[in-house]
Amino acid sequence: NNSTVFTDSSSYARTVSIGAGTPKISTTQSKFDGASIRGGSHPTQLNATLSGITADEAWTLELWYYRTASTDYQAFLEVDETYVMLRTPNNSGNFELGFFKTFMRTYTTAVVPLNTWTHLACCVEKTSLTNWEIRLYVNGIRGALYNTAVSFALTTGSPLLRIGRSNSSGFAAFDGYIDEYRLTVGVARYSGDFTPPTLPGCNGTGDISPINRSGTEALRGIGLTANPGTLGLASGHKKLSGQEATAGAG
């Protein structure tokens, strides 16, 4: 509890570092297995460098989130000015999941409540030569669908992933607890509504088995595994055992 040492437990052995503030592992709240990642007041940021990302790849971000404050701009992903974050549009007081890039943005209509574990997901993929699609989910229910000719692919090569705040302004710290955080590069995991995972390390389709990766190349991404003292980035997703909670991408 309260550890600030984050270790990559995957074969990628990525370095996970604190970019700002004091994110820590906490046993106060967890969705699974007794531990989660605790954010805090602005600024709070974790950093990890991705690798091997090629042009026009689909990607999925998903996590369980326990919101503890009504702070605007709570960011879960920032890669070169592409954001997935909680916002309260027009200062309505209703916190909704949003996707942002340059001046384009879309929000869910479902509200993310205080002091409750909520499953959040964002799927991004190129559906034709001239169209990109963004799908946002709250507790497995699609709350937003957005199509555009502008590419929403992640930056190719080895971009820096920031969890917590933006590169430029320092806003957007997540203010709550994160569990089962997973960024997957290479697939838009959900196309329709789904049942959120009921066990750690599992896909959100109602299947309680660990995610099974097929093909010759492991999907690239990051999966943060929190136990007292460890935060991991997983390339292949495995069934977890013991007192572990995941917050990651794989």
Side-chain angles (χ1 to χ4, degrees), residues 2-7 16 18 23 25 227-231:
N2 294 322
S3 172
T4 57
V5 177
F6 305 109
T7 303
V16 184
I18 296 176
I25 292 170
N227 63 24
T230 302
L231 179 62

Side-chain angles (χ1 to χ4, degrees), residues 103-118:
F103 294 103
M104 291 171 289
R105 62 195 65 189
T106 185
Y107 299 96
T108 63
T109 54
V111 174
V112 177
L114 271 170
N115 302 323
T116 300
W117 282 106
T118 304

Side-chain angles (χ1 to χ4, degrees), residues 29 40 77 79-80 100 102 116 132 169 195:
Q29 290 289 340
L77 174 146
V79 178
D80 290 337
F100 307 83
T102 60
T116 300
W132 280 80
S169 62
T195 301

Side-chain angles (χ1 to χ4, degrees), residues 41-102:
S41 58
H42 300 330
T44 295
Q45 180 180 325
L46 287 172
N47 296 336
T49 300
L50 305 176
S51 60
I53 297 177
T54 59
D56 293 345
E57 286 195 279
W59 55 276
T60 302
L61 173 70
E62 59 183 309
L63 66 149
W64 286 94
Y65 189 55
Y66 189 98
R67 182 169 71 90
T68 60
S70 296
T71 307
D72 207 354
Y73 295 101
Q74 297 193 39
F76 307 121
L77 174 146
E78 190 269 329
V79 178
D80 290 337
E81 305 298 321
T82 293
Y83 300 90
V84 178
M85 68 172 73
L86 284 186
R87 285 277 346 253
T88 174
N90 302 315
N91 296 314
S92 65
N94 295 325
F95 279 80
E96 302 167 8
L97 184 64
F99 177 94
F100 307 83
K101 185 168 185 176
T102 60

Side-chain angles (χ1 to χ4, degrees), residues 129-147:
L129 289 176
T130 59
N131 187 73
W132 280 80
E133 184 170 285
I134 298 95
R135 301 183 294 273
L136 299 175
Y137 299 87
V138 176
N139 284 330
I141 305 299
R142 194 178 73 190
L145 176 67
Y146 185 76
N147 288 274

